[in-house]
Amino acid sequence: MDTDSDRDLLSDLPQSIIESILVKVPLVDAVRTSILSRKWRYKWAAITELVFNDTCLTSGHDKSIISCNLVNFITRCLFLHDGPIHKFELNTSYSPASPDLDQWLLFLSRKDIKELIIDIGEDDWFRAPSCVFFCPKLTHLVLVRCELNPPPNFKGFLCLKHLSLQQVIIPPHDIEVLISSCPLLESLTLSYFDSLELTIRAPNLKYLNLEGEFKDIRLENTPQLIGISVAMYMTDDIAEHFEQCSGCNFDKFLGGVPCLERLIGHIYFTKYLSIGNEQGNFPVTYQNLKFIELYQVSFEDMKELLVVLRLIVSSPNLEELQISSSSITTTTDIYDLEFWERDWPVDCIFGKLKIVHMTDFSGLPHEIAFIKFLLGHSPVLEQMIVAPTIYVTDKVVKMLIDLLTFRRASPQATVKFIQEPL
């Protein structure tokens, strides 16, 4: 009978505990645990999560040798592995040759892969082999800098919940089919796409992150969306396309997301939403929307201003509003300031708004009127923070005086004027 002193407690740990230990250390160190004892030899080969990154690299100055060593290490780890592989992540600045990557992905497609993340060298692209599309248990797919061509017999990722495509070359029709063929999709990220006209159909989608040159974005059958972040880049071609657009972009993009809780619109987003938008009845009320952040809003463009007002008026439970003004302004002598009294009723109340943060404030008439409007219609406002642009230093004192004299519906509201250092 073994005494406590004779027992090898480390070797006698259950496999589940050993795996939980091994997945928390770099894979190189996990492989090295084979030397701990005879019982630990190849214990790492049964872990279900394999993460390869630059911590797996050998030291040296010859890039080709380092890359070759990494390829050999990954190949050896895969072919020595015993059992299913639920997660495979390759995130490195060294790019493997296409045949090696194809071989690994083919191997993984037969190992019950659930999470696949491929992000290799910044200057290199790869073409995803067709076997990627035949991983029936895939729930998490991240591809960076690759060419993606779904085969004709692709039936969709029926278990996929998270999809992130960054700098991916894929035909426009195929990206729409890919999205609509993932019935359980909850999170979608599309980054660095060029001149894309996109219709998204995803009934279970909750989080959407878009970044790129989008000519048109239409959300159809996305009733569960709660978080949206959009960054749009403008080119001459897209600007011309906007001028020829018909229909209301606001309705096409935000008309079918009644459960929205958080909205972040980066550069040109409000410009995009303003196309075809008109003042009038707002058919959608965003009862759950509590946070809005908008970048580079042009307060000299009445159509963009109407977009901002439509958003906040349609969000009765809004708690925090962050807006940065456009740093590019055009001088104009005509401001319809009567608009604030004529077109917006005095009973318009933002009953939950607590925090307002405005940056790149230039002191334009409609910027000042907007702040005055919020202060006068927000009964529970706690803090209004205003940070001016560095280009209006001569107006700082006057703007500060104006802000301090505005009527406040909230007795506890404080106004902070923050001047950024030059």
Side-chain angles (χ1 to χ4, degrees):
M1 182 174 179
D2 292 339
T3 64
D4 289 342
S5 59
D6 294 330
R7 293 176 60 192
D8 183 352
L9 297 178
L10 189 62
S11 297
D12 291 338
L13 288 172
Q15 176 63 28
S16 59
I17 295 180
I18 293 176
E19 179 173 346
S20 67
I21 294 173
L22 293 177
V23 297
K24 288 179 171 60
V25 300
L27 190 55
V28 171
D29 295 330
V31 173
R32 289 171 179 160
T33 60
S34 288
I35 66 173
L36 290 177
S37 71
R38 180 176 57 82
K39 290 185 178 181
W40 270 74
R41 191 177 184 187
Y42 296 125
K43 285 284 187 181
W44 67 268
I47 62 177
T48 58
E49 297 184 10
L50 300 179
V51 177
F52 300 93
N53 50 40
D54 286 350
T55 64
C56 301
L57 300 176
T58 57
S59 60
H61 301 287
D62 191 320
K63 185 175 180 179
S64 61
I65 293 178
I66 297 174
S67 180
C68 182
N69 290 338
L70 176 63
V71 167
N72 291 337
F73 177 67
I74 296 174
T75 300
R76 181 173 178 269
C77 286
L78 288 179
F79 291 162
L80 287 176
H81 192 275
D82 182 24
I85 299 175
H86 293 159
K87 177 179 179 179
F88 177 88
E89 179 176 349
L90 177 58
N91 190 335
T92 176
S93 55
Y94 293 84
S95 303
S98 293
D100 295 311
L101 188 55
D102 290 352
Q103 186 181 39
W104 299 338
L105 292 173
L106 178 61
F107 180 84
L108 291 168
S109 68
R110 301 167 179 172
K111 299 285 280 185
D112 292 336
I113 188 72
K114 294 181 180 179
E115 295 186 38
L116 179 62
I117 303 170
I118 307 291
D119 183 357
I120 58 178
E122 293 185 1
D123 298 323
D124 297 298
W125 292 63
F126 70 97
R127 181 170 183 172
S130 60
C131 61
V132 169
F133 295 94
F134 300 101
C135 300
K137 296 184 180 181
L138 204 60
T139 63
H140 187 111
L141 178 61
V142 178
L143 299 176
V144 182
R145 287 180 297 278
C146 83
E147 182 179 348
L148 204 58
N149 289 290
N153 57 340
F154 174 60
K155 302 300 182 182
F157 294 116
L158 302 184
C159 297
L160 195 69
K161 292 185 176 181
H162 177 94
L163 175 63
S164 178
L165 304 179
Q166 304 173 42
Q167 292 179 273
V168 171
I169 299 174
I170 181 173
H173 174 71
D174 286 346
I175 182 63
E176 293 185 358
V177 172
L178 174 60
I179 294 170
S180 62
S181 299
C182 303
L184 301 182
L185 191 65
E186 296 181 358
S187 174
L188 174 63
T189 296
L190 302 177
S191 299
Y192 303 106
F193 281 77
D194 297 335
S195 300
L196 183 62
E197 296 185 48
L198 179 66
T199 298
I200 296 176
R201 301 177 182 90
N204 287 296
L205 190 65
K206 294 182 179 180
Y207 303 97
L208 176 64
N209 189 340
L210 301 176
E211 181 179 3
E213 299 172 4
F214 295 98
K215 283 187 174 181
D216 195 19
I217 310 171
R218 183 185 296 270
L219 300 182
E220 293 184 359
N221 193 20
T222 55
Q224 303 300 320
L225 259 177
I226 60 176
I228 296 177
S229 177
V230 183
M232 306 183 72
Y233 306 132
M234 187 71 68
T235 63
D236 292 340
D237 180 49
I238 292 178
E240 182 180 352
H241 177 80
F242 279 180
E243 294 176 359
Q244 300 172 356
C245 282
S246 60
C248 177
N249 285 353
F250 192 110
D251 293 338
K252 288 189 292 184
F253 190 77
L254 294 177
V257 290
C259 296
L260 191 62
E261 298 177 3
R262 185 178 180 90
L263 175 64
I264 301 176
H266 294 270
I267 183 172
Y268 293 119
F269 180 63
T270 54
K271 178 68 174 177
Y272 173 76
L273 292 185
S274 72
I275 304 299
N277 184 55
E278 296 180 358
Q279 187 176 356
N281 295 326
F282 306 146
V284 180
T285 299
Y286 306 102
Q287 293 286 353
N288 301 324
L289 187 54
K290 296 182 179 181
F291 178 89
I292 296 176
E293 184 174 3
L294 302 173
Y295 289 82
Q296 297 198 8
V297 176
S298 175
F299 280 86
E300 291 185 309
D301 187 331
M302 284 299 297
K303 291 185 177 181
E304 288 194 43
L305 179 56
L306 284 173
V307 166
V308 176
L309 290 171
R310 178 175 179 178
L311 276 172
I312 62 176
V313 170
S314 301
S315 308
N317 294 305
L318 183 66
E319 296 180 358
E320 183 171 350
L321 175 65
Q322 297 186 15
I323 296 181
S324 74
S325 300
S326 174
S327 58
I328 303 175
T329 60
T330 57
T331 304
T332 178
D333 297 323
I334 301 175
Y335 288 97
D336 181 16
L337 295 179
E338 295 181 359
F339 156 84
W340 296 96
E341 300 294 336
R342 181 185 67 239
D343 298 326
W344 293 97
V346 293
D347 60 352
C348 178
I349 300 297
F350 309 113
K352 299 292 183 66
L353 188 60
K354 296 180 180 179
I355 298 174
V356 176
H357 194 172
M358 292 192 64
T359 57
D360 291 323
F361 179 75
S362 300
L364 296 171
H366 278 303
E367 285 180 334
I368 296 175
F370 180 67
I371 290 177
K372 183 178 181 181
F373 179 68
L374 291 179
L375 286 173
H377 294 78
S378 306
V380 299
L381 187 68
E382 297 175 358
Q383 191 174 68
M384 167 85 72
I385 301 174
V386 180
T389 176
I390 61 175
Y391 303 109
V392 292
T393 54
D394 57 326
K395 301 179 181 178
V396 168
V397 176
K398 183 179 183 303
M399 285 192 293
L400 177 59
I401 295 174
D402 287 342
L403 292 178
L404 293 177
T405 59
F406 289 154
R407 184 185 71 84
R408 306 173 195 181
S410 171
Q412 69 265 29
T414 60
V415 178
K416 292 187 178 181
F417 197 82
I418 303 174
Q419 185 176 9
E420 298 294 339
L422 295 175

